[in-house]
């Protein structure tokens, strides 16, 4: 099995930059990732491009130029939508000065799932306002940073069970949604 076959079988974008910070090699997955936000790229002329011609993110440039081993998540906007990439930069070769390996892994699906799970864990699915868990988490964060004074307001919709029994849960749910919107609008944080 050749090195080329191995690189092309990977889903991760693999890029090798030489001592002059020019692109020596890129696999098809890497080319497709770069092409998503740089549609003008041509497969025939991408080899030889300098790292700063392909990337503007300071963390990537610093990692490659300073021969640093680093790893981070990178959020890239493409046509109003975001993709999330895990970036790993590793110096390889003699004393880490010959070649810099840049690996890009598309983690967009994972981030969308994480964001969805966070929302489900922190917000009420009907009203989309913070739930008890989120409230306690936010209170603890404020108390830790001594952001006081804090005011508490406890509200109850009187006889709501009777309302649900009389008009049905669908109408009751709509009332709760509208009530949550009204609360959210009324208690918007003050702008500084």
């Amino acid at each position: 099995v050749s090195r080329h076959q191995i690189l092309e079988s990977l889903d991760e974008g693999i890029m090798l930059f030489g001592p002059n910070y020019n692109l020596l090699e890129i696999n098809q997955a890497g080319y497709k990732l770069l092409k998503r936000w740089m549609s003008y790229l041509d497969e025939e002329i991408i080899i030889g491009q300098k790292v700063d011609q392909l990337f503007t993110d300071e963390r990537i440039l610093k990692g490659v130029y300073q021969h640093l081993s680093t790893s981070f998540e990178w959020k890239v906007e493409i046509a109003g939508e975001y993709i999330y990439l895990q970036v790993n930069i590793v110096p390889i070769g003699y004393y880490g000065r010959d070649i810099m390996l840049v690996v890009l892994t598309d983690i967009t699906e994972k981030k969308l799932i994480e964001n969805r799970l966070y929302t489900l864990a922190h917000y009420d699915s009907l009203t989309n306002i913070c739930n008890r868990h989120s409230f306690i988490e936010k209170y603890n964060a404020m108390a830790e940073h001594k952001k006081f004074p804090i005011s508490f307001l406890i509200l109850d919709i009187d006889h709501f069970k009777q309302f649900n029994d009389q008009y049905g849960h669908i109408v009751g749910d709509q009332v709760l949604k509208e009530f949550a919107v009204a609360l959210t609008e009324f208690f918007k944080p003050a702008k500084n």
Side-chain angles (χ1 to χ4, degrees):
V1 177
S2 72
R3 184 180 80 167
H4 178 74
Q5 288 174 309
I6 292 170
L7 289 177
E8 291 305 323
S9 70
L10 298 173
D11 291 332
E12 292 84 6
I14 307 292
M15 287 163 258
L16 296 171
F17 289 92
N20 296 322
Y21 311 109
N22 57 318
L23 185 64
L24 300 175
E25 191 168 353
I26 185 168
N27 68 349
Q28 197 60 38
Y31 175 72
K32 285 179 182 176
L33 275 173
L34 292 180
K35 187 91 171 153
R36 286 177 73 179
W37 70 85
M38 292 184 282
S39 57
Y40 56 86
L41 278 182
D42 186 341
E43 199 168 1
E44 302 298 318
I45 62 168
I46 192 170
I47 299 298
Q49 298 287 311
K50 298 278 189 185
V51 67
D52 59 5
Q53 293 173 303
L54 299 173
F55 299 103
T56 56
D57 187 274
E58 290 297 321
R59 296 167 297 178
I60 295 174
L61 298 176
K62 181 179 177 182
V64 173
Y65 286 138
Q66 295 181 9
H67 302 274
L68 302 174
S69 184
T70 186
S71 180
F72 57 89
E73 288 182 6
W74 184 27
K75 184 177 174 181
V76 181
E77 184 177 4
I78 303 171
E81 293 187 22
Y82 292 100
I83 65 167
Y84 297 86
L85 300 170
Q86 176 65 42
V87 179
N88 294 303
I89 301 173
V90 181
I92 56 177
Y94 297 107
Y95 306 107
R97 297 212 175 265
D98 291 345
I99 296 175
M100 293 300 295
L101 171 67
V102 176
V103 180
L104 302 177
T105 306
D106 188 343
I107 58 168
T108 304
E109 193 66 33
K110 175 185 166 213
K111 293 302 284 186
L112 293 175
I113 291 168
E114 284 176 4
N115 291 341
R116 179 69 181 136
L117 289 174
Y118 180 88
T119 299
L120 289 172
H122 289 82
Y123 293 89
D124 176 71
S125 61
L126 177 66
T127 61
N128 204 30
I129 57 176
C130 293
N131 63 18
R132 180 176 182 267
H133 174 77
S134 183
F135 168 78
I136 291 170
E137 191 176 271
K138 288 178 182 186
Y139 172 79
N140 288 337
M142 290 176 75
E144 184 178 306
H145 293 96
K146 297 180 177 34
K147 290 189 174 185
F148 288 98
I150 296 175
S151 299
F152 293 97
L153 179 64
I154 298 174
L155 300 172
D156 181 37
I157 301 175
D158 288 338
H159 312 292
F160 194 72
K161 182 182 179 333
Q162 293 171 352
F163 183 88
N164 266 343
D165 291 344
Q166 184 174 353
Y167 297 104
H169 289 279
I170 294 173
V171 174
D173 286 353
Q174 190 59 40
V175 168
L176 289 175
K177 288 178 188 177
E178 293 296 326
F179 184 68
V181 168
L183 285 176
T184 303
E185 287 295 314
F186 186 79
F187 291 106
K188 278 186 177 176
K191 293 181 181 177
N192 295 332

